[in-house]
């Protein structure tokens, strides 16, 4: 019998609330967040591998996905905000989101190029499909621009906000995607996934409830914050911009993988360097908050400071690029084996547990006073609403299983799979 994640939804969310309340009072301050994150991810991979070897393929893949998604999100937060640069100067983190995103894209380009070459030389010889028409070049450039803005603004937001608020905001991507597709449909734009089926009333209700919970989380975070150095409003604005471009990113991916039939590996390779080029402008000219007590800096100025004070920190930035590529391939593998809607369901639930772990290892604290309960309710409500949305999508996918192209359509247009090999969130 196929495992139904909805059976465990309510009890696990209830347990998450208890852990949030207990861990907020006594986080594990004596355990390094990076070591805790690596240990958590390794344990999830080990458990997932054992489950798959035991024949429980679905449970095993979901356990591996949890370790990869939660581990990557927490690792990025540690690199951007918590890794020690200079103890004497009180400098923690690498607050250069656009620079970090550009490095990830350069690493992605080389990783994809090596894979394409390896496949070309292997017995399973595969010839990459080169873009030849103006429409294909336009779609690749639009995809690269949307991806650069999506992840650049998201990393910027993550450097300013707690993991909880950042992930709650990111979960609103499905609704923004529906709205953008509706606008394109009204403007009679062809392609870009606008011909896909409209969302049901149940899916729309779930998405709107999730967005309302995200709004409550933002208010609770801003009203209950006791840290005057937090830039909650700026971080929230960057988060909103990131979900707008994430939705644009998804409909561009639908154009590449749908009508143009450009495979994910090729699309990712072709768009990586243009995405890095698009990031050069904010990287060199956009000043933003850096470290407490320091003036605003550009990403390039932050890089020069970190490179002189803590060169080893740059290795963490490069590793983030490798992790991004591996996580993206893992997500694509899951989409092909479980369906995109099922992966989206699991991904939104993973975010709720990731927030619990973030508080448990001391990366953040819940807001003070009565806003603590509001924050907990908004996190659980947001996770439940978008998990419900994912479940409805998975049920719709099962109902149309007889259609031979349904799975590929889901991979191109759903919240989990629309960013092909580079993940949505």
């Amino acid at each position: 019998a196929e495992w139904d994640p909805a059976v465990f939804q309510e009890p696990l969310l209830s347990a998450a609330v208890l852990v949030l309340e207990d861990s907020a009072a006594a986080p594990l301050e004596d355990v390094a967040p990076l070591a805790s994150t690596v240990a958590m991810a390794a344990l999830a991979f080990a458990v997932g591998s054992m489950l798959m070897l035991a024949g429980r393929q679905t449970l095993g893949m979901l356990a591996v996905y949890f370790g990869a998604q939660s581990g990557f999100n927490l690792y990025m937060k540690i690199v951007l905000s918590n890794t020690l640069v200079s103890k004497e100067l009180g400098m923690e983190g690498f607050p250069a989101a656009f620079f970090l995103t550009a490095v990830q894209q350069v690493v992605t380009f080389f990783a994809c190029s090596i894979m394409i070459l390896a496949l070309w030389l292997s017995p399973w010889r595969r010839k990459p499909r080169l873009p030849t028409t103006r429409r294909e070049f336009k779609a690749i450039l639009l995809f690269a621009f949307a991806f650069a803005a999506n992840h650049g603004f998201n990393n910027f937001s993550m450097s300013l906000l707690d993991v909880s608020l950042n992930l709650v905001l990111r979960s609103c991507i499905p609704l923004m995607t529906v709205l953008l597709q509706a606008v394109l449909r009204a403007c009679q734009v062809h392609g870009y996934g606008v011909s896909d089926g409209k969302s049901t009333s149940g899916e729309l209700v779930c998405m709107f409830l999730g967005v309302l919970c995200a709004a409550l989380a933002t208010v609770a975070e801003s009203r209950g914050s006791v840290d005057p150095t937090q830039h909650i409003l700026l971080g929230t604005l960057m988060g909103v911009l990131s979900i707008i471009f994430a939705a644009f990113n998804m409909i561009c991916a639908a154009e590449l993988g749908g009508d143009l039939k450009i495979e994910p590996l090729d699309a990712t390779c072709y768009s990586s360097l243009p995405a890095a080029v698009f990031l050069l402008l904010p990287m060199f000219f956009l000043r933003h908050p850096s470290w407490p007590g320091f003036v605003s800096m550009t990403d390039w100025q932050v890089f020069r400071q970190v490179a002189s004070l803590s060169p080893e920190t740059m290795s963490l930035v490069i590793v983030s690029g490798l992790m991004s590529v591996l996580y993206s391939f893992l997500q694509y593998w899951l989409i092909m084996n479980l369906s995109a809607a099922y992966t989206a369901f699991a991904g939104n639930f993973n975010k709720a547990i990731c927030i619990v772990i973030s508080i448990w290892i001391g990366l953040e604290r819940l807001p003070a006073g009565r806003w603590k309960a509001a924050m907990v309710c908004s996190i659980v409500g947001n996770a439940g609403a978008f998990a419900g949305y994912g479940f409805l999508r998975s049920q719709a996918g099962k109902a149309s299983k007889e259609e031979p192209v349904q799975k590929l359509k889901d991979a191109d247009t759903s919240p989990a799979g629309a960013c092909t090999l580079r993940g949505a969130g």
Side-chain angles (χ1 to χ4, degrees), residues 57-293:
Q57 295 295 320
T58 301
L59 277 175
M61 286 188 286
L62 290 175
V64 171
Y65 183 41
F66 164 75
Q69 186 181 38
S70 299
F72 182 64
N73 283 327
L74 294 175
Y75 181 85
M76 290 299 298
K77 178 60 179 176
I78 291 169
V79 172
L80 287 164
S81 304
N82 291 83
T83 185
L84 183 63
V85 174
S86 173
K87 187 175 182 180
E88 294 78 10
L89 298 175
M91 298 166 66
E92 290 186 348
F94 182 74
F98 299 107
F99 181 94
L100 185 146
T101 308
V103 169
Q104 290 177 340
Q105 292 315 292
V106 173
V107 173
T108 297
F109 171 76
F110 284 108
C112 290
S113 299
I114 291 172
M115 288 196 63
I116 291 173
L117 179 60
L119 288 172
W120 174 263
L121 298 175
S122 72
W124 307 277
R125 190 167 186 175
R126 173 187 175 276
K127 183 178 180 181
R129 180 176 178 277
L130 297 174
T132 55
T133 67
R134 177 179 294 183
R135 181 183 177 186
E136 289 172 345
F137 281 107
K138 175 185 174 182
I140 289 173
L141 289 177
L142 284 175
F143 180 78
F145 175 76
F147 186 91
N150 167 23
H151 288 271
F153 283 125
N154 180 54
N155 287 334
F156 193 177
S157 173
M158 184 174 285
S159 70
L160 299 173
L161 300 179
D162 287 337
V163 172
S164 56
L165 185 53
N166 175 264
L167 292 182
V168 165
L169 289 173
R170 292 291 287 180
S171 65
C172 300
I173 293 173
L175 180 59
M176 184 59 66
T177 305
V178 170
L179 294 176
L180 277 181
Q181 286 183 324
V183 170
L184 291 176
R185 194 178 294 116
C187 296
Q188 298 183 340
V189 175
H190 299 289
Y192 296 94
V194 298
S195 60
D196 298 315
K198 297 180 181 180
S199 298
T200 65
S201 57
E203 292 171 358
L204 289 173
V205 168
C206 287
M207 287 189 286
F208 275 111
L209 286 176
V211 171
L212 288 176
C213 289
L216 175 59
T218 304
V219 173
E221 184 81 9
S222 60
R223 295 294 181 88
S225 176
V226 295
D227 185 359
T229 65
Q230 281 191 309
H231 301 273
I232 295 174
L233 293 180
L234 178 60
T236 302
L237 175 61
M238 295 300 104
V240 171
L241 287 175
S242 77
I243 66 174
I244 293 174
F245 282 104
F248 185 40
N249 194 185
M250 289 178 182
I251 62 177
C252 289
E255 169 77 348
L256 287 172
D259 294 342
L260 298 182
K261 308 298 182 186
I262 298 179
E263 294 189 18
L265 180 61
D266 299 334
T268 302
C269 184
Y270 301 152
S271 61
S272 296
L273 288 185
V277 171
F278 286 131
L279 290 162
L280 292 177
L281 188 64
M283 189 173 79
F284 283 102
F285 298 104
L286 180 62
R287 290 183 173 272
H288 53 78
S290 54
W291 299 278

